[in-house]
Amino acid sequence: MTPPLPAPEPAILEIKRTLDGREKRFDCRLLARSPDGRHAAVLWISPAPMHVHGVDLPAGTVSVGHFWTDRHYNVYHWLDPAGKTLGYYFNICDRTLIGPDVIEWRDLVVDVLALPDGRLDLLDEHELPAELPPGVAADITDGTRAILDRPATVLAEIEAASRAVLPKG
């Protein structure tokens, strides 16, 4: 059974930029924005099944994206249509900007996948270019350490933040 979703929320565009200049755009719904503008949560629902780094996500997967202007990561909290957590997919990033109708961020290649059974996978380090722009290596270290040094704390925070913005039921 699909959990009730919020009434239509304002549209917000997520723009992901890569180190090599490519851009991807995602039409999302804004669930929440902190009063200080440093955090936003957005909603995206998968129209079809997906397979991401060994995780099967069914059609209807609810993805709550959390973005911060003062952290070197963002995260997609995946929930099945019944509301059970399927996983957390962290993107190591920088240059996150949260505007009234757009969220922009730069993907720094490295990702972290966290699963409910406690598995943590550091992904895509092999895809890093040989030469990184100034400061990027430090941002990658900051982002990965923030997650891997205290995963239980970070995951509990994400779980609570997602549950707070999704409707009860």
Side-chain angles (χ1 to χ4, degrees):
M1 178 172 149
T2 303
L5 295 175
E9 300 293 341
I12 191 161
L13 179 65
E14 175 190 343
I15 302 173
K16 168 188 167 178
R17 293 190 174 89
T18 61
L19 285 174
D20 64 9
R22 289 176 292 139
E23 187 176 285
K24 288 186 180 179
R25 294 171 172 252
F26 305 92
D27 293 316
C28 302
R29 294 286 177 186
L30 180 66
L31 291 172
R33 182 189 329 257
S34 65
D36 62 9
R38 293 185 336 204
H39 171 258
V42 303
L43 173 70
W44 183 79
I45 300 174
S46 171
M50 299 183 304
H51 186 77
V52 183
H53 287 284
V55 179
D56 289 317
L57 302 172
T61 293
V62 174
S63 181
V64 179
H66 293 275
F67 300 86
W68 295 267
T69 59
D70 58 353
R71 296 185 190 186
H72 288 292
Y73 64 84
N74 60 46
V75 62
Y76 301 109
H77 179 189
W78 298 325
L79 301 106
D80 72 12
K84 179 182 172 191
T85 293
L86 298 171
Y88 308 84
Y89 193 87
F90 293 85
N91 297 279
I92 305 304
C93 64
D94 68 0
R95 299 184 182 173
T96 301
L97 301 171
I98 300 171
D101 56 2
V102 67
I103 295 172
E104 301 177 55
W105 59 282
R106 184 170 71 164
D107 185 358
L108 301 182
V109 180
V110 177
D111 302 309
V112 176
L113 174 64
L115 298 179
D117 66 5
R119 188 176 110 201
L120 283 171
D121 292 334
L122 187 61
L123 306 168
D124 303 330
E125 285 183 299
H126 66 282
E127 295 178 14
L128 284 169
E131 292 194 31
L132 294 171
V136 169
D139 291 347
I140 291 170
T141 297
D142 288 349
T144 56
R145 294 283 35 112
I147 300 159
L148 299 177
D149 286 352
R150 52 187 186 91
T153 301
V154 173
L155 296 179
E157 175 194 9
I158 302 305
E159 186 76 31
S162 293
R163 301 294 174 182
V165 297
L166 288 173
K168 312 301 180 255

